[in-house]
Structures are given as C-alpha cells and as structure tokens.
C-alpha cells in the first residue's frame, strides 16, 4: 500500500468514524427524546383516561342513584316485597334504561332473582349475584343474548333498604365500554387507543358447551373507536403479558416489515374489584416520526460520510501531489542514481521539508557528480600514472639492454672488424629481441585500448565451455598435475554472446587458474542457471587470494604475477561488461579461487 | 269476519256501471274498498242485515297506537294481545276476551341436526312453560302440553307440563349439536319468548340462536302460533295438524281416539305445545253486543253501536 492509499484510507476512516460517532450519538439521542415524549404522552393519556373513567363512573353512579331514588322504582320495590309478583315489571328495566341512557340495567328482587333485565329481558327469574354493594362503581363483563359478552362500568344500589326488609330490591345499571367510550377518550394526534376484551374464561352454567380453553387471543376482539384494529395480531404478546402480569406493560411493536409502521405500545389492564383482568386498554403512539427523523439523519450521515470520503480522496490526492509525488520522484531519481545516472535532478517546488529533501538530493547528486568527476580525474591520473609507471617499468627493461647494446656497439667500433662484426651480430640480435619485446608490450596496450565490439550470437554456453575445456585438456601434457573437470546441466543454456570474445575471456581465466596451481590441482569449469541469468564458474584449487587482492584484481595493470601486463582480467571484465554481464571472484588464502561470470539468459 | 276463500261464491258485477265489481259471499259484509279496507253491510245476508252499515279496518297500527285511537274515539275495536290483558284491565279498558284459542308451540325439525329423537325429547323436557305463562304472558295463558285445549277435550292434563332438566340431560346423553336456529316472528313478545326458550335449552346443553322467522333460511326450531280453527275437536285437531304439515286426516272423533292421535304425534316431539292464549279486544263505549267466535275473532254481524248524541 503506497502513501496515497494509506492517506486515503486514513482520511476516509477518520471521516467515517467521526460521522458514524456523531450520527450514532444523534440517533440515540433522538430515540431517547422520542421515547421520553411517548412516555410523557402515555402518562398524560393514562391520567386523562383515569379522569374520564372516573367521570363515567360518576355518571353511571348518578344515573343508578337517580333510578333507585325515583318514586316509580320505590313503588315497584315496595310492591315486589309485598306481593312477590315480579311479572308486571318484566319490561320495567328496558324503560328505565332508556330513560336514563344506560346500556345495562337489571332489577334484582329481594330473592336475588332478576325481575327485569334491559340487556337480556329473557333472563328474568335467574339469580344475579350481588357482590359489589360496597363498591361505588366496578367493571364487569355482562353476557348478552347473542352469545357474546360486553364490558361495562356498573353501579349497584339498593332500593328502599330499611330495617324491616331482609333483602332489598337492587338496581344494577351500567354503561358499555365500547367504541363510543374509546372515541370519547382524549387521544393525542398520532395516538391510537384500542380495547381488548377477553372472552369469558370460566365455563358458564348458561353456556356449558364452552370449554375451559377459551382464552385464545382473538385479533377481532381488539377494537378501536372505528372498529377492528389493523394488524391486531401483533398486539398478542403485549396483551398476554398485561393479562398475566396484571401490570401496565410497554413494548415496541412492529406492525409491518417497515420500521415506520412501528409503534410504542402500552397495555393497561382494566381490573374488576377482585383484581382479575377483564380487559386491556392499549395506547399506541406511532414511531413514524422518530423513524423518519432517524432515516433522515442516516441519509444525512451517509451523505456527509460520502462527501467526507470524497473530500478525503481529494485531500489524499492533494497530499499525494504535495508529498508522495515528490517522494516518488526522489525515489525514482535515487533509482536512476543507483543505475548510474548521476546527472538526475528532481524539481524543487516547495520550501518545506519535501523541498528541503529535494534540494539536499540535488546537492547530493551534484556532489556525487563532482566527486565522480574528481574521482574519475584522479583515477584517470592514477591510471595514467600507473600506466606510465607500468609503461616505464615495462619499457625500461627492454630499453636498458638496448642502451647497453648501443653503447657496446659504439665501444665495439674501436675494435677490429672481426670483433666488431661479432659484437655487431650479438648486438643486433639483442636489439631485435628487445624491439620485439617492446612491440609485444605496445601491442598488448593497443589491444586493451581498443576492444572490438561484440557480435552477438545465440549459443549454448556449454559449447563454449566445452571448447575451452577441450583445448586446454588436450594441450596439457600427460602427467601434468592439473586435473580438468566440467559440470554442465543436461538442458541447454542459451546466451546471446560473441563466441570469440567469450572464448578469449574464458581462456584468460583458465590460464590464470593454471598459473595459480604451479604444483597441480583441479580446475573446474561449470555452468548453471540462476533465474534469468546464466552463471559460468572457473574454479581452481590454487593459492587463493586475500580480500584486498580480490578488490584490486580487475584494476588494469594490477597483477600478482612476476611477469605480465596486468591487463588480462581487465580485458575479461571489459568483455563481460560489453555483454551486460558481471564478473566476481570468490577466494580465500590457500582456498583456491572461483571466478563467477553472470550473463543474461537468452529469452526464447 | 270475512268469508274464507274456499267459500267465495262469485265475483259479481252490479250491472249499473256505477259500482265496481266486488266479491260477494255469504257473509254479513261486502268488500267496498281495498285500501283502506272498508266493508259495507250485505243487504242479502241470510242471517239478516247487520246492525252496522259500514266497517272500516285500519291495519299496521301498533298496539299502543290502537289504544290511543280507542281512547280518542278514532277506533271502536282494537286488539289486546294476551300479554297486555292485565295492563288493559289496569287501564280500565273494556275488554272482551275469548277462551284460550291460540296455541303457542315450538316446532322442532326432525331432519339433519335434530334427527335423533332423544335430542328432540330433551328439548321437550327442557322448556319452562310456567315462566312463559306467568311472566311473559302475564298469567293470561294456560300452560299445556297438548295440542287441543283441555276445555275442548278434557284430557289435556294427561300430557305432563313440568320441566325436568335433569332428565333432559339424561336423555340427551352427552350428545352435542352445533348451534341451532330458533326462528320467531319479529315482534317483541315472540322474540322474548324465543329468547327465554333459548335460555331454557342452554341449560340443557343446547346452543340456540334466535332469529327472525321472515329472514332466516334454515330453521331448526320455530316458535309458532296456531289458531284453533273449530270448536269441533276432530276438525280442530285436523286443521292444526295440517298447519304443521301433517295432511293425514283425523278419523277418530272420540276423546280416546283423539288422545291417541295426539299422543302418537306429540311422541315424535316435532311439535311441543307450550301455552294456550286467549284472544282479546278492547271496545269503545258505544259498542254493544260484541261476541267472539270459537277461534277468537269478533262477530261483527251482531254488533250494534249506541247512537252518537
């Protein structure tokens, strides 16, 4: 991963993390605020509902009180107690209920039997338990002729209770808790009120065919002011919990697969005086506002994150332009310098650290060039000096005899002709030898100075080595202490070289190896592939060289031999370099030496 | 009051072009106008021309409205349902009532759900006649378990009328039925009686839903009112059986024979007699000599009106 990508990743993560943190905080806060608001609204509604409930209770109680106190009812009660004949009052409850605008009204005689019932006229004569006399109002489920039951708010009053009457007549009146009741409740906007009435769970003597398992949740029994509640089945668990725990219960309900359709629902159990839950009032507040706000914030967060990432990209590009590109340029320049192009220059575009680095680099390369020039100059001077020294040394040897010979000739001129002729013959012979020697020396210098340009051919390196091996192995007389061996791979190793120049170079190395083993040894020619390169090794088991000798080995005119120009290895190095290869030596004192030539492999 | 259709003799044309054709029977009145229904005295009535010249009949008036009309002088003769008799008397209306001539009975279908005779028998044992009579019909009815009234036959007491809920459960033997439909006329008293019967049957383990006879398609039970068509027991029984779909003529005319016929039919429990109810009418102060026929209908031929001052 380069700097640009790291910067991009860093900026993107920073922006995304920051946006995510802020968005998460805001979302949590929104949720808390909305939930708090919902709780407050629900609590407010509950208190309002309780007030409305009390108001209704008071209405029912007042209506029943009025009925019980009416002259008509008191007269009826008196007649009932006196005569015990309830037949004339069969329809009385209906009339009284209609007048008092009550949904339920029953007149119960002194014997506890129903005299008249407004909601179920045919129930006359059946016993009605009077168990709520001490309650001002109470909740009760009332059975109806059609087999259903209704939840109502009831009040019970005794008529004309006195010491003379053992059991008085009772008036039980009530009002339904139904859709109209729900419609009158003060619901806030977005709030849904519903009522779930459980079916009668106890096997009734009037309905013995109904089994005990009659408490299965029925979505149709959950009603609101307009009728059935949509998605009523989703309320099952909440309502069941309220029924079982007999406590107010809250939960978030997802009415559909969409979060906007979720609601904060609270279930309020409505209990009878004995504590059993007769119905559950559900208050649902839509969470669509909160969900929409959250979605809006998420969208903004995504947008900001996307914008942030885009900004991060731009920043990273800008930073890359400002920082990494100059650094990359520096790196490329350094590569070029390493490749030998010391003239490399990087632009200095800024005054900051990067600019300082560029200036330092340019200064370094300038210094390197200058130093190289000086070094080259120095080496050239040194080389010239060495050349001059070597030349002087090489030329001095043959020149001294030449000088002596000329001096002898000059002195021999004073001799007799016969002695002069002899001296002249010897001297001319000596002159010829030394002049030939001079010509040889000068010829070697000339050869070194003008190496021919290689004419490349694609050949198998094994053929070249085999040719060298064959030449020297055949040329070596029997009994020589030097043993020649080869190690070649079975597969051909193709290289693009000038066969003659490589042959000369290898011959030079073989001769040096032979010179290094005056007392015999083993000379090994081997080759192998090394990736995209081909290695050629010429190894001897001679005296070896010190590390210092290895360093200077390829310097022109450097030699460890008593005689020789010292140009042989320099020529080998030049040939190898002309073939884009390298040559190195591995050696230690008394450990022999191995020259390793590395040449590029010919591509197929 | 009007000649029955089977006694219609002819449709005559007065021939003078002034009077429309009208039905002429052997009764004391002729139809003068369709709506409102208007009858005029038949001059040629074999029993002698009626005292009243014209009778106007107004239909589809509630009992309360009829009584109001009576009280303000817009009507001379109004209906008094059996359950309102006591109240009419309390209001000091002049009431003329017949003996019990209307049988209130529960018809039980013997097909599909109630094909098992034990179920029908359990239903018969579960009904509470006394509650119907004492409360709903304000003690104006006569509890009965026979098709003909005791006053006509003398053997009505041989049919037990008491309710036996335990035996009803025993006879039912734990058999369960789907909800049954009890059809009744869509008037308050019949619906109330049907509701009471439904409660009685609930106690016996039957699930019964009350419905309007005019709208329900399938009836498992039906609350009927059958009128005693004749003062002759044989004719009355035959007429009553015909009205419940039994077309076999009654050949027996002795009390024992009639008892046996009734017993055989009632033993199938497809008809459960409950009450015999009278028919009654309230009359205005100027109506004289109103008598009721054996079926409880008023005999207008002998009625006279006190002249208005």
């Amino acid at each position: 991963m380069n700097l640009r990508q790291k910067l991009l990743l860093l900026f993107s993560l920073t922006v995304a993390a920051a946006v995510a943190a802020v968005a998460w905080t805001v979302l949590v806060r929104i949720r808390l605020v909305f939930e708090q608001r919902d709780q407050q609204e629900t609590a407010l509604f509950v208190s309002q509902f309780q007030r409305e409930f009390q108001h209704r209770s008071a209405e029912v109680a007042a209506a029943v009180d009025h009925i019980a106190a009416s002259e008509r009812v008191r007269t009826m009660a008196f007649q009932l107690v006196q005569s015990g004949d309830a037949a004339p009052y069969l329809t009385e409850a209906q009339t009284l209920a209609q007048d008092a605008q009550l949904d339920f009204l029953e007149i119960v005689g002194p014997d506890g039997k129903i005299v008249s019932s407004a909601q179920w006229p045919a129930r006359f004569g059946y016993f009605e338990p009077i168990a709520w006399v001490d309650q001002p109002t109470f909740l009760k489920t009332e059975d109806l002729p059609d087999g259903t039951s209704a939840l109502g708010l009831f009040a019970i009053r005794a008529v004309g209770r006195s010491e003379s009457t053992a059991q008085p007549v009772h008036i039980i009146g009530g009002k339904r808790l139904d859709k109209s009741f729900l419609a009158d409740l003060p619901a806030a906007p977005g709030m849904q009120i519903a009522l779930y009435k459980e079916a009668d769970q106890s096997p009734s003597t009037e309905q013995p065919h109904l089994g005990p398992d009659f408490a299965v949740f029925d979505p149709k029994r959950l009603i609101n002011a307009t009728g059935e509640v949509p998605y009523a089945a989703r309320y099952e668990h909440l309502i069941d919990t309220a029924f079982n725990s007999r406590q107010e219960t809250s939960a978030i309900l997802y009415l559909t697969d969409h979060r906007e359709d979720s609601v904060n629902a609270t279930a309020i159990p409505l209990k009878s005086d004995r504590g059993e839950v007769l119905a559950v009032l559900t208050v649902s507040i839509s969470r669509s506002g909160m969900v929409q706000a959250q979605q809006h914030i998420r969208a903004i967060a995504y947008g900001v994150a996307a914008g942030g990432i885009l900004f991060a990209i731009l920043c990273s590009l800008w930073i890359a332009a400002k920082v990494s590109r100059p650094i990359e340029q520096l790196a490329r320049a350094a590569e070029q310098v390493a490749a030998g192009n010391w003239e490399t220059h990087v632009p200095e575009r800024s005054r900051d650290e990067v600019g300082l680095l560029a200036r330092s680099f340019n200064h370094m390369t300038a210094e390197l060039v200058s130093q190289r020039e000086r070094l080259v100059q120095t080496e050239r001077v040194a080389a010239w000096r060495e050349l001059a020294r070597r030349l002087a040394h090489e030329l001095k040897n043959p020149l001294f005899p030449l000088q002596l010979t000329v001096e002898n000739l000059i002195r021999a001129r004073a001799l007799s002709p016969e002695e002069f002729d002899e001296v002249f013959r010897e001297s001319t012979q000596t002159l010829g030898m030394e002049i030939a020697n001079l010509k040889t020396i000068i010829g070697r210098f000339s050869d070194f100075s003008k190496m021919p340009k290689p004419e490349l051919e694609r050949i198998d390196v094994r053929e070249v080595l085999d040719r060298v091996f064959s030449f020297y192995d055949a040329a070596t007389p029997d009994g020589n202490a030097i043993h020649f061996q080869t190690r070649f791979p079975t597969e051909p190793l193709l290289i693009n070289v000038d066969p003659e120049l490589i042959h000369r170079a290898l011959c030079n190395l073989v001769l040096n190896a032979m010179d290094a083993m005056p007392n015999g040894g083993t000379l090994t020619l081997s080759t192998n592939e090394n990736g995209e390169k081909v290695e050629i090794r010429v190894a001897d088991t001679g005296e070896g060289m010190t590390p210092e000798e290895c360093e200077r080995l390829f310097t022109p005119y450097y030699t460890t031999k008593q005689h020789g120009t010292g140009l042989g290895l320099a020529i080998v190095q030049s040939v190898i370099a002309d073939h884009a290869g390298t040559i190195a030596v591995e050696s230690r004192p008394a450990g022999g030496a191995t020259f390793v030539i590395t040449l590029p492999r010919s591509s197929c | 009051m009007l000649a029955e259709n089977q006694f219609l003799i002819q449709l005559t044309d007065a021939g003078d072009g002034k009077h429309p054709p009208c039905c002429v029977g052997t009764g004391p009145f002729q139809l003068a106008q369709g709506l409102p229904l208007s009858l005029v005295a038949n001059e040629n009535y074999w029993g002698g021309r009626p005292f009243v010249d014209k009778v106007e009949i107004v239909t589809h008036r509630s009992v309360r409205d009829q009584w109001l009309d009576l009280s303000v002088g817009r009507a001379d003769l109004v209906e008094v349902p059996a359950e309102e008799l006591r109240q009419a008397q309390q209001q000091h209306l002049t009431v003329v009532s017949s003996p019990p001539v209307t049988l209130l009975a529960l018809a039980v279908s013997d097909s599909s759900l109630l094909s098992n005779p034990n179920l029908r028998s359990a239903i018969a044992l579960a009904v509470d006649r006394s509650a119907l009579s004492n409360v709903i019909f304000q003690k104006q009815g006569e509890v009965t378990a026979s098709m003909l009234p005791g006053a006509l036959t003398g053997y009505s007491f041989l049919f037990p009328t008491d309710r036996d809920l335990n035996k009803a459960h025993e006879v039912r033997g734990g058999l369960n039925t789907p909800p049954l439909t009890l059809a009744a006329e869509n008037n308050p008293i019949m619906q109330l009686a049907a509701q009471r019967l439904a409660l009685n049957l609930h106690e016996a383990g039957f699930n019964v839903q009350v419905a309007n006879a005019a709208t329900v398609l399938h009836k498992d039970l039906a609350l009927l009112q059958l009128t005693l068509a004749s003062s002759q027991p044989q004719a009355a029984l035959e007429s009553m059986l015909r009205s419940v779909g039994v077309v076999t003529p009654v050949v027996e005319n002795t009390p024992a024979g009639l008892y046996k016929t009734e017993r055989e039919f009632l033993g199938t429990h497809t008809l459960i007699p409950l009450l015999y109810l009278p028919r009654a009418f309230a009359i205005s102060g100027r109506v004289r000599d109103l008598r009721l026929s054996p079926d409880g209908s008023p005999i207008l031929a002998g009625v006279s009106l006190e002249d208005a001052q």
Side-chain angles (χ1 to χ4, degrees):
Chain A
M1 193 182 288
N2 58 27
L3 177 63
R4 186 180 308 161
Q5 291 168 344
K6 288 180 184 175
L7 286 174
L8 173 62
L9 187 62
L10 179 64
F11 283 146
S12 300
L13 286 176
T14 303
V15 168
V19 171
V22 170
W24 180 81
T25 304
V26 171
L27 288 173
V28 168
R29 186 67 191 153
I30 283 181
R31 182 172 57 81
L32 290 175
V33 166
F34 271 88
E35 284 178 357
Q36 191 177 11
R37 185 207 69 170
D38 290 347
Q39 285 173 1
Q40 289 172 349
E41 283 191 5
T42 301
L44 179 64
F45 170 79
V46 169
S47 68
Q48 288 174 336
F49 165 75
Q50 287 170 345
R51 278 200 297 275
E52 180 69 22
F53 197 82
Q54 287 169 359
H55 177 67
R56 286 273 174 135
S57 301
E59 279 183 355
V60 169
V64 174
D65 282 336
H66 181 74
I67 292 172
S70 66
E71 187 60 35
R72 177 176 175 173
V73 169
R74 292 164 67 86
T75 305
M76 176 195 68
F78 177 77
Q79 293 293 333
L80 280 171
V81 170
Q82 291 295 316
S83 65
D85 183 12
Y89 308 109
L90 177 64
T91 59
E92 197 69 17
Q94 285 172 292
T95 308
L96 291 171
Q98 204 169 353
D99 293 342
Q101 295 183 335
L102 292 174
D103 299 314
F104 308 105
L105 188 69
E106 280 183 347
I107 302 171
V108 180
D111 55 356
K113 292 184 180 179
I114 296 172
V115 171
S116 177
S117 174
Q119 63 270 18
W120 201 341
R123 278 193 74 210
F124 62 88
Y126 283 86
F127 278 104
E128 181 67 54
I130 309 296
W132 310 280
V133 181
D134 297 331
Q135 301 285 333
T137 53
F138 53 93
L139 278 176
K140 193 166 83 76
T141 301
E142 186 69 19
D143 295 327
L144 299 175
D146 57 1
T148 62
S149 58
L151 181 67
L153 190 58
F154 289 83
I156 179 170
R157 296 291 182 270
V159 181
R161 186 194 292 268
S162 69
E163 293 176 357
S164 62
T165 55
Q167 286 292 338
V169 170
H170 288 90
I171 304 294
I172 307 174
K175 278 197 171 180
R176 277 183 188 251
L177 293 186
D178 57 2
K179 290 187 284 188
S180 61
F181 170 71
L182 295 176
D184 290 340
L185 292 176
M191 184 183 284
Q192 293 285 332
I193 313 298
L195 182 71
Y196 181 83
K197 194 191 74 61
E198 186 60 90
D200 186 10
Q201 298 187 26
S202 58
S204 166
T205 53
E206 295 171 350
Q207 299 178 352
H209 61 284
L210 297 175
D213 295 330
F214 197 55
V216 177
F217 181 83
D218 184 1
K220 292 181 181 176
R221 288 205 293 271
L222 183 65
I223 59 168
N224 59 15
T226 56
E228 287 186 13
V229 174
Y231 312 108
R234 301 285 179 145
Y235 288 81
E236 177 177 357
H237 180 71
L238 180 71
I239 291 174
D240 277 345
T241 304
F243 264 107
N244 295 328
S245 67
R246 304 186 183 192
Q247 302 286 339
E248 189 174 306
T249 309
S250 297
I252 296 174
L253 302 180
Y254 293 90
L255 302 182
T256 66
D257 294 336
H258 302 291
R259 283 191 69 229
E260 307 85 75
D261 295 331
S262 60
V263 295
N264 265 323
T266 301
I268 304 166
L270 303 179
K271 300 180 224 178
S272 68
D273 62 310
R274 286 174 291 179
E276 62 179 303
V277 179
L278 299 178
V280 171
L281 188 75
T282 63
V283 182
S284 305
I285 300 176
S286 175
R287 296 194 337 145
S288 64
M290 181 196 78
V291 170
Q292 285 172 2
Q294 285 183 330
Q295 288 175 342
H296 188 61
I297 288 172
R298 275 202 197 91
I300 292 174
Y302 291 145
V304 170
I309 290 173
L310 184 62
F311 177 72
I313 292 172
L314 294 175
C315 280
S316 68
L317 289 173
W318 181 79
I319 290 175
K322 286 288 184 185
V323 176
S324 67
R325 193 171 300 144
I327 294 175
E328 287 171 0
Q329 287 176 345
L330 275 170
R332 282 196 294 274
E335 292 286 331
Q336 289 183 2
V337 169
N341 181 14
W342 290 16
E343 302 287 334
T344 304
H345 182 82
V346 293
E348 301 167 17
R349 294 196 180 96
S350 61
R351 294 181 177 275
D352 54 13
E353 293 86 341
V354 174
L356 179 63
L357 181 61
R359 281 195 296 279
S360 299
F361 181 84
N362 291 337
H363 179 68
M364 177 193 74
T365 54
E367 283 296 315
L368 279 175
V369 168
S370 170
Q371 286 183 7
R372 183 181 64 174
E373 287 176 356
R374 285 198 295 274
L375 183 63
V376 166
Q377 278 289 73
T378 305
E379 285 187 350
R380 190 173 292 149
V381 169
W384 277 114
R385 282 185 181 159
E386 183 67 21
L387 176 65
R389 190 187 65 78
R390 199 71 187 178
L391 200 62
H393 175 72
E394 291 293 324
L395 291 177
K396 188 173 66 178
N397 288 339
L399 282 176
F400 186 67
L402 281 174
Q403 183 184 5
L404 287 180
T405 302
V406 170
E407 285 177 354
N408 276 345
L409 278 173
I410 293 172
R411 281 194 299 272
R413 191 169 177 274
L415 298 176
S416 64
E418 291 81 16
E419 290 176 341
F420 180 78
D421 287 344
E422 187 176 347
V423 170
F424 185 81
R425 275 199 304 277
E426 290 178 2
S427 298
T428 53
Q429 192 176 4
T430 301
L431 285 174
M433 283 173 54
E434 295 301 329
I435 289 170
N437 197 11
L438 278 172
K439 284 178 69 177
T440 302
I441 292 170
I442 291 170
R444 285 183 180 168
F445 282 117
S446 177
D447 284 345
F448 178 69
S449 69
K450 47 175 184 174
M451 291 297 296
K453 194 172 179 184
E455 293 180 1
L456 302 179
E457 291 178 23
R458 192 156 173 242
I459 59 171
D460 186 357
V461 69
R462 298 179 305 172
E463 294 174 2
V464 176
L465 289 171
D466 192 58
R467 188 171 143 211
V468 172
F469 166 74
S470 302
F471 178 78
Y472 284 97
D473 188 43
T476 307
D478 294 339
N480 191 285
I482 296 176
H483 172 65
F484 286 87
Q485 64 180 17
T486 60
R487 289 202 201 105
F488 298 155
T490 55
E491 296 295 323
L493 292 173
L494 301 177
I495 53 177
N496 290 323
V497 296
D498 185 324
E500 287 305 316
L501 289 178
I502 289 297
H503 180 79
R504 275 175 64 179
L506 290 172
C507 288
N508 238 317
L509 294 178
V510 169
L511 285 173
N512 285 343
M514 292 171 66
D515 288 340
M517 295 182 291
N519 300 320
T522 302
L523 192 149
T524 307
L525 294 175
S526 64
T527 182
N528 62 277
E529 66 172 318
N530 184 8
E532 292 300 314
K533 306 284 185 183
V534 173
E535 286 183 352
I536 302 170
R537 291 173 182 266
V538 179
D540 64 69
T541 58
E543 300 162 351
M545 291 174 286
T546 65
E548 292 76 21
E549 289 170 342
C550 290
E551 277 184 21
R552 299 184 63 187
L553 202 60
F554 295 97
T555 304
Y557 310 116
Y558 174 79
T559 180
T560 58
K561 299 177 186 173
Q562 294 290 333
H563 51 84
T565 60
L567 293 177
L569 285 178
I571 292 172
V572 170
Q573 188 182 48
S574 175
V575 169
I576 299 302
D578 286 344
H579 287 82
T582 59
I583 182 169
V585 61
E586 298 166 358
S587 178
R588 63 183 187 275
T594 301
F595 284 87
V596 181
I597 296 173
T598 305
L599 292 169
R601 192 170 178 179
S602 173
S603 57
C604 297
Chain B
M1 183 168 66
L2 289 174
E4 288 184 304
N5 284 340
Q6 61 262 38
F7 302 124
L8 186 65
I9 295 178
Q10 63 178 359
L11 181 70
T12 64
D13 185 354
D16 56 0
K18 296 180 183 176
H19 297 94
C22 64
C23 297
V24 179
T26 58
F29 294 95
Q30 298 175 359
L31 181 64
Q33 184 176 326
L35 288 172
L37 196 59
S38 176
L39 304 172
V40 294
N42 184 2
E43 299 291 341
N44 299 320
Y45 179 53
W46 59 269
R49 185 194 186 282
F51 291 110
V52 296
D53 299 322
K54 190 177 178 183
V55 178
E56 284 184 358
I57 302 171
V58 179
T59 59
H60 299 96
R61 294 281 286 175
S62 67
V63 171
R64 294 290 167 203
D65 290 340
Q66 289 181 43
W67 290 15
L68 190 62
D69 290 342
L70 183 71
S71 65
V72 297
R74 280 205 296 264
D76 292 309
L77 177 75
V78 297
E79 292 177 299
V80 178
E83 64 274 11
E84 305 281 356
L85 260 174
R86 180 190 268 191
Q87 192 172 358
Q89 288 161 359
Q90 288 173 351
Q91 292 185 13
H92 305 293
L93 298 180
T94 305
V95 177
V96 178
S97 65
S98 71
V101 294
T102 302
L103 175 65
L104 184 70
L106 184 65
V108 184
S109 170
D110 60 353
S111 60
S112 65
L113 298 177
L114 294 172
S115 57
N116 188 328
N118 288 340
L119 293 175
R120 299 198 298 274
S121 176
I123 289 173
L125 291 167
V127 295
D128 183 3
R129 294 175 175 83
S130 59
L132 291 175
S133 172
N134 294 336
V135 181
I136 294 178
F137 290 99
Q138 302 288 310
K139 300 176 183 170
Q140 301 301 314
E142 185 180 291
V143 170
T144 183
S146 62
M147 295 180 69
L148 298 177
L152 204 62
T153 61
Y155 57 69
S156 176
F157 69 94
L158 294 173
F159 294 91
T161 60
D162 292 334
R163 187 189 194 207
D164 193 342
L165 196 57
N166 291 332
K167 193 167 181 192
H169 278 291
E170 186 184 320
V171 169
R172 190 169 70 88
L175 290 171
N176 285 326
T177 60
L180 303 173
T181 303
L182 169 54
E185 283 179 34
N186 193 27
N187 70 63
I189 205 66
M190 290 295 281
Q191 287 287 315
L192 178 60
Q195 291 283 352
R196 184 65 183 198
L197 288 171
L199 265 179
N200 293 158
L201 296 180
H202 279 158
E203 291 180 281
F206 294 94
N207 183 6
V208 179
Q209 294 293 328
V210 177
N212 182 1
T215 57
V216 72
L217 296 177
H218 173 72
K219 310 168 191 175
D220 300 302
L221 304 158
L223 189 60
L224 306 174
Q225 285 183 316
L226 305 172
T227 305
L228 204 61
S230 170
S231 58
Q232 297 297 319
Q234 181 186 5
L237 181 61
E238 186 172 313
S239 170
M240 203 165 282
L241 287 171
R242 194 166 56 240
S243 64
V244 293
V246 179
V247 297
T248 308
V250 176
V251 297
E252 298 286 346
N253 61 359
T254 62
L258 291 172
Y259 170 76
K260 183 183 171 191
T261 303
E262 265 199 59
R263 188 142 200 109
E264 282 177 3
F265 174 70
L266 293 177
T268 64
H269 300 299
T270 54
L271 187 72
I272 303 171
L274 300 172
L275 298 177
Y276 253 108
L277 299 167
R279 290 188 70 184
F281 299 89
I283 55 176
S284 65
R286 66 173 186 159
V287 173
R288 297 286 182 267
D289 301 324
L290 175 66
R291 290 180 289 117
L292 300 180
S293 62
D295 67 352
S297 56
I299 302 173
L300 296 177
V303 171
S304 60
L305 296 174
E306 187 176 293
D307 289 338
Q309 294 293 331

